[in-house]
Amino acid sequence: MKVADIINQKRQEGKPSLSFEIFPPKKSDTLSNIDETLELLCDLHPDFISVTFGAGGSTRNSKTVEIARKIKETYGVEPVVHLTCLYYTRAEISDMLRELECAGIENILALRGDRNPDYPAKNDFLYASELVEYIRSQGNFSVSGACYPETHLEAENPVMDIRNLKKKIDAGASHLISQLFFDNEVFYQFCDKVRCAGIDVPIDAGVMPVTNKAQIERMVNMCGASLPTRFEKILKKYEDSKESLLDAGLAYTIHQIVDLIANDVDGVHIYTMNNPAVAKRICDSIRNLV
C-alpha cells in the first residue's frame, strides 16, 4: 500500500500516521542481529518503517532491500526504502528500482544523499528532485521526499530551500518527512510557509528521542537543528546521569509528540536509532492518540 494512501486513510480516522526509521546493521554484522529489533518495533504497529541507505559502493544497500522485504512479508508492515542518487548513475538507479519492484516494494524516500569524501560523486543526479522525476518515470512507485524545517545546510536561504522543495513536489513526490527538530514552533512556521508556496502533500514531523547527549549534539551538527533553551537545560542538568537524561529526554519527546498531534500534524516519524525499548516507551504514552 502506498504511503500517501496510508496517511489519507489515517486522516479519515482523525488520527496522524506513526512511523519509524531504522538503519541496516554495519558491514561486520549479520542481518540476524536486527531481527529482534524488527520484531519489537513491528509489534508497536507503525503505519510504515523507513530503512536507510548507504553511500555508493556500500554493501549495506543490499541489506536495506532485504530488511525492507522482511518488514513487508514477515511482519505485514509497509516499508519505505531510502534511495540516494549523488553517487549513482541512471543505470545503477534503474537496477535498484528493478530490484525493489521484484521485492514488491513500492514506497521510496528519494534523497540526494550526504556528501561523502570516501566516494567520488557522479553527475547523473545533482538534486533529489531529479531523482524523484526519474523514479516516477520508471514504474508505479510512491515517492516521498525530505524537508528541512530549519533550512537545508547547503541552501542559499530559506526561500530558495522552499522553492527547491516545490521542485520535488512538481516532480512527483506525494509525501514529505521532515528532518529532526526540537522546537515545534519551528515546524509549525515551516508548514505555514510551504502551504503558502502551494505544497499540499502530507508532511510527517521527524522526531528524535533524546537518550544520549553526544548523539544529539552530533546529529544537530549534521543537520543544523536548533536547541531550545528548555531542551539545553535538560542536557546540562542530566548530562552526567545516563538514566536521568533518558527519563527527562523521553518526557521532552513525548510532550513534543503530544503537542504535534494536538495541532493536527499529518504524521509523526520517529528516528529510533534502532532502539525498540525507547520507541515502546513513547508508543505506550501515545497509544490512544494515533
Side-chain angles (χ1 to χ4, degrees):
M1 188 175 185
K2 291 182 170 57
V3 164
D5 294 333
I6 292 173
I7 294 174
N8 287 330
Q9 183 175 312
K10 295 283 289 192
R11 275 175 167 175
Q12 292 173 10
E13 298 171 1
K15 293 184 177 182
S17 64
L18 174 68
S19 57
F20 302 141
E21 178 186 283
I22 64 170
F23 51 84
K26 297 178 181 179
K27 292 181 181 180
S28 59
D29 295 334
T30 63
L31 279 177
S32 60
N33 292 346
I34 203 171
D35 284 347
E36 183 179 0
T37 296
L38 287 180
E39 183 173 354
L40 292 170
L41 287 175
C42 290
D43 278 347
L44 299 175
H45 306 295
D47 294 296
F48 64 88
I49 295 178
S50 73
V51 189
T52 64
F53 194 80
S58 173
T59 58
R60 294 174 66 190
N61 298 340
S62 60
K63 292 181 180 179
T64 295
V65 178
E66 195 169 342
I67 290 169
R69 187 199 294 265
K70 179 174 289 191
I71 290 170
K72 187 179 183 76
E73 295 180 355
T74 303
Y75 301 104
V77 175
E78 199 62 47
V80 175
V81 168
H82 293 214
L83 185 60
T84 63
C85 63
L86 192 60
Y87 299 97
Y88 295 98
T89 64
R90 275 178 167 75
E92 289 170 329
I93 292 293
S94 292
D95 289 342
M96 294 176 199
L97 293 175
R98 299 291 75 78
E99 184 178 4
L100 293 175
E101 191 173 48
C102 290
I105 296 165
E106 55 184 342
N107 293 293
I108 298 173
L109 176 59
L111 306 162
R112 186 201 67 176
D114 295 329
R115 298 190 183 280
N116 188 328
D118 295 330
Y119 299 102
K122 299 178 182 178
N123 296 317
D124 284 20
F125 300 96
L126 300 179
Y127 306 103
S129 57
E130 296 173 350
L131 177 60
V132 171
E133 183 176 19
Y134 189 72
I135 294 171
R136 295 289 291 141
S137 73
Q138 295 298 301
N140 188 29
F141 294 102
S142 176
V143 186
S144 300
C147 60
Y148 297 79
E150 298 182 77
T151 306
H152 193 287
L153 287 175
E154 296 181 27
E156 185 177 338
N157 55 58
V159 173
M160 289 304 299
D161 196 36
I162 291 178
R163 287 180 180 175
N164 290 333
L165 182 61
K166 183 67 162 59
K167 290 179 182 178
K168 294 183 191 179
I169 306 306
D170 293 342
S174 58
H175 165 240
L176 296 170
I177 299 176
S178 89
Q179 181 57 272
L180 63 92
F181 59 91
F182 299 100
D183 187 340
N184 285 1
E185 288 303 319
V186 168
F187 180 75
Y188 300 144
Q189 292 171 19
F190 169 77
C191 288
D192 287 343
K193 291 174 184 176
V194 299
R195 297 310 186 201
C196 288
I199 296 172
D200 59 1
V201 302
I203 304 174
D204 286 356
V207 177
M208 174 171 281
V210 183
T211 61
N212 179 287
K213 182 182 179 183
Q215 177 190 79
I216 291 298
E217 290 177 339
R218 182 173 65 253
M219 294 302 298
V220 165
N221 288 333
M222 288 176 60
C223 71
S226 61
L227 298 179
T229 300
R230 63 186 183 280
F231 184 87
E232 290 184 321
K233 287 181 177 179
I234 289 174
L235 291 180
K236 184 176 181 179
K237 184 173 181 63
Y238 300 112
E239 62 181 330
D240 296 325
S241 172
K242 180 179 179 181
E243 293 78 12
S244 297
L245 180 58
L246 176 63
D247 286 347
L250 286 182
Y252 184 95
T253 302
I254 291 165
H255 179 272
Q256 185 180 5
I257 292 173
V258 170
D259 182 74
L260 288 166
I261 295 172
N263 281 276
D264 297 322
V265 70
D266 293 317
V268 175
H269 188 67
I270 300 175
Y271 295 101
T272 69
M273 302 304 290
N274 288 24
N275 190 330
V278 166
K280 184 177 188 306
R281 284 184 60 176
I282 293 172
C283 289
D284 285 346
S285 298
I286 62 170
R287 181 182 297 117
N288 297 316
L289 307 181
V290 294

